[in-house]
Short mmCIF file of all heavy atoms in Angstrom, two decimals:
data_model
loop_
_atom_site.label_atom_id
_atom_site.label_comp_id
_atom_site.label_asym_id
_atom_site.label_seq_id
_atom_site.Cartn_x
_atom_site.Cartn_y
_atom_site.Cartn_z
N VAL H 450 -26.93 122.72 -121.65
CA VAL H 450 -25.90 122.05 -120.90
C VAL H 450 -25.87 122.44 -119.48
O VAL H 450 -25.86 123.61 -119.16
CB VAL H 450 -24.52 122.21 -121.55
CG1 VAL H 450 -23.47 121.45 -120.81
CG2 VAL H 450 -24.55 121.87 -122.98
N ALA H 451 -25.91 121.47 -118.58
CA ALA H 451 -25.92 121.83 -117.04
C ALA H 451 -24.51 121.64 -116.61
O ALA H 451 -23.72 120.78 -117.02
CB ALA H 451 -26.86 120.87 -116.38
N TYR H 452 -24.19 122.48 -115.61
CA TYR H 452 -22.86 122.39 -114.88
C TYR H 452 -23.11 122.83 -113.48
O TYR H 452 -23.35 123.96 -113.21
CB TYR H 452 -21.83 123.30 -115.52
CG TYR H 452 -20.51 123.29 -114.81
CD1 TYR H 452 -19.59 122.24 -115.03
CD2 TYR H 452 -20.20 124.26 -113.86
CE1 TYR H 452 -18.40 122.21 -114.38
CE2 TYR H 452 -18.94 124.23 -113.14
CZ TYR H 452 -18.11 123.21 -113.43
OH TYR H 452 -16.91 123.13 -112.74
N VAL H 457 -26.70 126.41 -119.30
CA VAL H 457 -26.48 127.31 -120.45
C VAL H 457 -27.36 126.76 -121.51
O VAL H 457 -27.50 125.50 -121.76
CB VAL H 457 -25.09 127.32 -120.92
CG1 VAL H 457 -24.40 125.99 -121.22
CG2 VAL H 457 -24.84 128.19 -122.13
N SER H 482 -18.06 129.74 -113.63
CA SER H 482 -17.30 128.64 -114.36
C SER H 482 -17.91 128.33 -115.67
O SER H 482 -17.22 128.21 -116.69
CB SER H 482 -17.25 127.50 -113.44
OG SER H 482 -16.51 127.64 -112.31
N LEU H 483 -19.20 128.14 -115.67
CA LEU H 483 -19.95 127.82 -116.95
C LEU H 483 -19.79 128.96 -117.95
O LEU H 483 -19.67 128.77 -119.14
CB LEU H 483 -21.36 127.50 -116.61
CG LEU H 483 -22.17 127.02 -117.83
CD1 LEU H 483 -21.54 125.79 -118.53
CD2 LEU H 483 -23.61 126.56 -117.37
N TYR H 486 -16.38 128.58 -119.52
CA TYR H 486 -16.24 127.54 -120.54
C TYR H 486 -16.99 127.93 -121.84
O TYR H 486 -16.56 127.53 -122.89
CB TYR H 486 -16.86 126.25 -119.93
CG TYR H 486 -16.23 125.76 -118.71
CD1 TYR H 486 -16.99 125.29 -117.64
CD2 TYR H 486 -14.86 125.81 -118.52
CE1 TYR H 486 -16.42 124.82 -116.46
CE2 TYR H 486 -14.26 125.36 -117.40
CZ TYR H 486 -15.07 124.87 -116.31
OH TYR H 486 -14.46 124.40 -115.20
N THR H 487 -18.01 128.67 -121.72
CA THR H 487 -18.74 129.14 -122.83
C THR H 487 -17.96 130.14 -123.71
O THR H 487 -17.87 130.03 -124.94
CB THR H 487 -20.06 129.74 -122.47
OG1 THR H 487 -20.92 128.81 -121.71
CG2 THR H 487 -20.86 130.21 -123.59
N ALA H 490 -15.11 128.57 -125.55
CA ALA H 490 -15.59 127.80 -126.72
C ALA H 490 -15.54 128.78 -127.97
O ALA H 490 -15.15 128.38 -129.07
CB ALA H 490 -16.98 127.26 -126.48
N ASP H 494 -12.20 127.66 -129.61
CA ASP H 494 -12.58 126.51 -130.48
C ASP H 494 -13.19 126.98 -131.83
O ASP H 494 -12.92 126.39 -132.82
CB ASP H 494 -13.61 125.64 -129.74
CG ASP H 494 -13.08 125.10 -128.43
OD1 ASP H 494 -11.83 125.06 -128.31
OD2 ASP H 494 -13.84 124.83 -127.51
N GLN H 555 -23.91 122.52 -129.25
CA GLN H 555 -22.91 121.42 -129.31
C GLN H 555 -21.51 121.99 -129.15
O GLN H 555 -20.67 121.37 -128.51
CB GLN H 555 -23.02 120.75 -130.71
CG GLN H 555 -22.19 119.44 -130.76
CD GLN H 555 -22.54 118.47 -129.63
OE1 GLN H 555 -23.74 118.11 -129.46
NE2 GLN H 555 -21.53 117.93 -129.06
N LEU H 556 -21.32 123.13 -129.67
CA LEU H 556 -19.94 123.82 -129.50
C LEU H 556 -19.69 124.06 -127.99
O LEU H 556 -18.62 123.72 -127.50
CB LEU H 556 -19.95 125.13 -130.26
CG LEU H 556 -18.70 126.02 -130.11
CD1 LEU H 556 -17.50 125.39 -130.75
CD2 LEU H 556 -19.00 127.39 -130.66
N VAL H 557 -20.67 124.55 -127.29
CA VAL H 557 -20.57 124.77 -125.89
C VAL H 557 -20.49 123.50 -125.08
O VAL H 557 -19.63 123.41 -124.18
CB VAL H 557 -21.72 125.66 -125.34
CG1 VAL H 557 -21.64 125.87 -123.85
CG2 VAL H 557 -21.75 127.03 -126.03
N ARG H 558 -21.29 122.50 -125.46
CA ARG H 558 -21.15 121.25 -124.79
C ARG H 558 -19.81 120.65 -124.89
O ARG H 558 -19.31 120.11 -123.84
CB ARG H 558 -22.27 120.27 -125.39
CG ARG H 558 -22.33 118.96 -124.71
CD ARG H 558 -23.44 118.07 -125.31
NE ARG H 558 -24.78 118.63 -125.02
CZ ARG H 558 -25.57 119.03 -125.95
NH1 ARG H 558 -25.23 119.11 -127.23
NH2 ARG H 558 -26.74 119.61 -125.63
N ASN H 559 -19.22 120.67 -126.01
CA ASN H 559 -17.78 120.11 -126.16
C ASN H 559 -16.83 120.89 -125.26
O ASN H 559 -15.91 120.29 -124.70
CB ASN H 559 -17.42 120.25 -127.63
CG ASN H 559 -18.18 119.33 -128.52
OD1 ASN H 559 -18.80 118.33 -128.07
ND2 ASN H 559 -18.15 119.60 -129.80
N SER H 560 -17.01 122.19 -125.16
CA SER H 560 -16.12 123.01 -124.35
C SER H 560 -16.25 122.61 -122.84
O SER H 560 -15.26 122.45 -122.15
CB SER H 560 -16.39 124.48 -124.55
OG SER H 560 -15.58 125.27 -123.69
N VAL H 561 -17.46 122.46 -122.43
CA VAL H 561 -17.71 122.17 -120.98
C VAL H 561 -17.13 120.78 -120.69
O VAL H 561 -16.45 120.64 -119.66
CB VAL H 561 -19.21 122.21 -120.70
CG1 VAL H 561 -19.47 121.68 -119.24
CG2 VAL H 561 -19.75 123.66 -120.81
N GLN H 562 -17.26 119.85 -121.55
CA GLN H 562 -16.87 118.41 -121.39
C GLN H 562 -15.28 118.42 -121.33
O GLN H 562 -14.71 117.76 -120.46
CB GLN H 562 -17.42 117.54 -122.38
CG GLN H 562 -18.90 117.26 -122.32
CD GLN H 562 -19.42 116.49 -123.44
OE1 GLN H 562 -18.79 116.24 -124.49
NE2 GLN H 562 -20.75 116.02 -123.31
N SER H 563 -14.71 119.17 -122.26
CA SER H 563 -13.19 119.13 -122.29
C SER H 563 -12.51 119.95 -121.21
O SER H 563 -11.52 119.51 -120.59
CB SER H 563 -12.78 119.59 -123.68
OG SER H 563 -13.13 120.88 -123.90
N ARG H 564 -13.06 121.13 -120.93
CA ARG H 564 -12.43 122.03 -119.96
C ARG H 564 -12.81 121.77 -118.55
O ARG H 564 -11.94 121.84 -117.67
CB ARG H 564 -12.73 123.48 -120.39
CG ARG H 564 -12.11 123.94 -121.67
CD ARG H 564 -12.36 125.36 -122.11
NE ARG H 564 -11.54 125.82 -123.17
CZ ARG H 564 -11.89 125.63 -124.45
NH1 ARG H 564 -13.16 125.16 -124.77
NH2 ARG H 564 -11.14 126.02 -125.44
N ALA H 565 -14.04 121.47 -118.28
CA ALA H 565 -14.43 121.23 -116.96
C ALA H 565 -13.90 119.92 -116.48
O ALA H 565 -13.61 119.75 -115.20
CB ALA H 565 -16.05 121.15 -116.80
N GLY H 566 -13.65 118.95 -117.32
CA GLY H 566 -13.09 117.66 -116.99
C GLY H 566 -11.64 117.77 -116.49
O GLY H 566 -11.19 116.85 -115.85
N THR H 567 -10.96 118.89 -116.79
CA THR H 567 -9.58 119.04 -116.40
C THR H 567 -9.48 119.72 -115.13
O THR H 567 -8.28 119.80 -114.63
CB THR H 567 -8.78 119.86 -117.48
OG1 THR H 567 -9.38 121.12 -117.54
CG2 THR H 567 -8.89 119.19 -118.84
#
Side-chain angles (χ1 to χ4, degrees):
V450 178
Y452 177 82
V457 55
S482 294
L483 187 52
Y486 302 139
T487 300
D494 304 337
Q555 188 58 49
L556 174 70
V557 175
R558 185 177 290 114
N559 293 340
S560 176
V561 173
Q562 291 173 351
S563 62
R564 292 183 171 89
T567 62

